[in-house]
Amino acid sequence: MTHHDNNPDTKPVGITLGDAAGIGPEIIIRLLAEGPAWPVVVYGDHGVLERTIKALDLADRLFINSYHRVDDIAWPLAKGAIAVVNRHSPLPDTVQPGVLNAHAGRAAYEYVCHATDDALAGKLRAVVTAPLNKAAMQLGGINYPGHTEILADRTGTAHFAMMLANQELRVILVTIHIPLVDVSPSLTIDKELQTIRLAYQACRHAGVTAPRVAVAGLNPHAGEHGKFGHEESDIIEPAIALARSEGINVSGPWPGDTIFMRARRGEFDIVVAQYHDQGLIPVKYLGVDEGVNVTVGLPFIRTSVDHGTAFDIAGKGIADAGSLKAAFNMALAMSGATPD
């Protein structure tokens, strides 16, 4: 791993710890033990990461260097060194793997905020996030439904969307963390159009020169000409027409029960799904190990694992770092990094 502090093109990737009681610390250490292809700074707790290194029997290969600011890091690091930035207070020893903890919930939020601020200041190439636990955050006094909303709020981003991607599918969501009963009332022509634009933008970032965007209908059979609902004719179709007038190659609305199969066969580069489970079930069914969560529309690249904190296996040394590795590699690709 090489890094030169006088070269802005080799800014580090920031990885946030997530909830310290979940599998975030383990999958981060497993990733870094492989020797990532780009410099990394972890936003998290020194003690938690040090204990994780010992628990995984990696103390002979890895050690922690702590910093208050990313500017304080002298690159390149010594072999086996992990740069950790923490502007939050150290976590107490009461944080235990697999147990909800208010301190861990609050700290997870703070790590995301600090990485976001540094990315906005141009100090990071991208941000990769390990999983949060919403219940723990709420115990810590933070009430957000997930990473996406924290990042959008912190950056003042009005138009954003959540995209899940793996080797076979890219799916972007019109609505994210809201009750199913609220999906239809929240759909608007503008929201559909903005999501189609973000889908196009995400594909361009991923290296697709002429993206083919497909939009899923909300209702069975995409409404079937009004028999099963009018959202398609009143909202989705007008948005598609507007996007086409802007030069975007977009089609639909297509029935939700076949659109993902068609995308896997190569007909489309990305699917616009109307709500959370419509879009995420097909991606996660293909396996969470290689799935990546991307927040599209932010002023910097942000990727994440597509799984949760997995409290049931936290601290047992069996967590798979595959999704984090995929998220890290996608962050490099989307940010145009060229590893040595």
Side-chain angles (χ1 to χ4, degrees), residues 16 48 77 82 95 104 109 118 189 196 208 238 259 295 306 320:
T16 60
V48 168
L77 298 177
I82 297 174
V95 176
Y109 167 77
D118 283 350
I189 293 173
I196 293 169
V208 181
I259 189 172
T295 306
D306 75 342
D320 190 321

Side-chain angles (χ1 to χ4, degrees), residues 92-241:
D93 293 339
T94 52
V95 176
Q96 298 297 322
V99 180
L100 279 176
N101 185 286
H103 295 289
R106 177 69 193 218
Y109 167 77
E110 296 292 343
Y111 305 146
V112 173
C113 290
H114 297 157
T116 299
D117 293 347
D118 283 350
L120 282 174
K123 298 175 182 180
L124 301 176
R125 169 165 291 279
V127 174
V128 179
T129 58
L132 297 169
N133 186 288
K134 299 175 185 66
M137 280 202 307
Q138 288 171 351
L139 286 175
I142 303 298
N143 190 22
Y144 279 97
H147 270 116
T148 307
E149 294 82 1
I150 295 172
L151 291 158
D153 197 20
R154 191 80 177 181
T155 59
T157 301
H159 301 299
F160 60 93
M162 177 178 169
M163 181 179 80
L164 268 286
N166 57 27
Q167 295 298 316
E168 299 183 69
L169 277 177
R170 292 187 192 90
V171 176
I172 195 166
L173 305 180
V174 180
T175 63
I176 308 177
H177 297 116
I178 63 173
L180 191 57
V181 70
D182 294 335
V183 171
S184 177
S186 75
L187 296 181
T188 65
I189 293 173
D190 184 62
K191 187 178 288 187
E192 293 283 341
L193 178 59
Q194 291 293 346
T195 308
I196 293 169
R197 288 170 176 162
L198 290 170
Y200 178 85
Q201 174 189 324
C203 287
R204 291 299 301 270
H205 273 304
V208 181
T209 54
R212 297 163 299 167
V213 181
V215 182
L218 174 68
N219 298 296
H221 304 284
E224 199 162 307
H225 308 293
K227 288 183 181 179
F228 305 130
H230 297 278
E231 289 86 355
E232 285 79 10
S233 59
D234 294 349
I235 298 170
I236 300 174
E237 289 176 12
I240 289 173

Side-chain angles (χ1 to χ4, degrees), residues 265-332:
R265 287 198 310 229
E267 289 186 50
F268 314 123
D269 297 301
I270 190 167
V271 174
V272 176
Q274 299 302 318
Y275 58 93
H276 186 278
D277 284 11
Q278 182 188 53
L280 268 58
I281 288 173
V283 177
K284 293 193 176 186
Y285 178 76
L286 295 172
V288 298
D289 291 348
E290 294 190 3
V292 179
N293 182 337
V294 182
T295 306
V296 184
L298 297 175
F300 54 83
I301 302 299
R302 178 264 172 169
T303 66
S304 183
V305 297
D306 75 342
H307 57 72
T309 46
F311 274 11
D312 56 325
I313 63 169
K316 297 180 180 179
I318 58 175
D320 190 321
S323 183
L324 183 66
K325 185 175 182 179
F328 182 76
N329 289 337
M330 185 172 288
L332 292 183

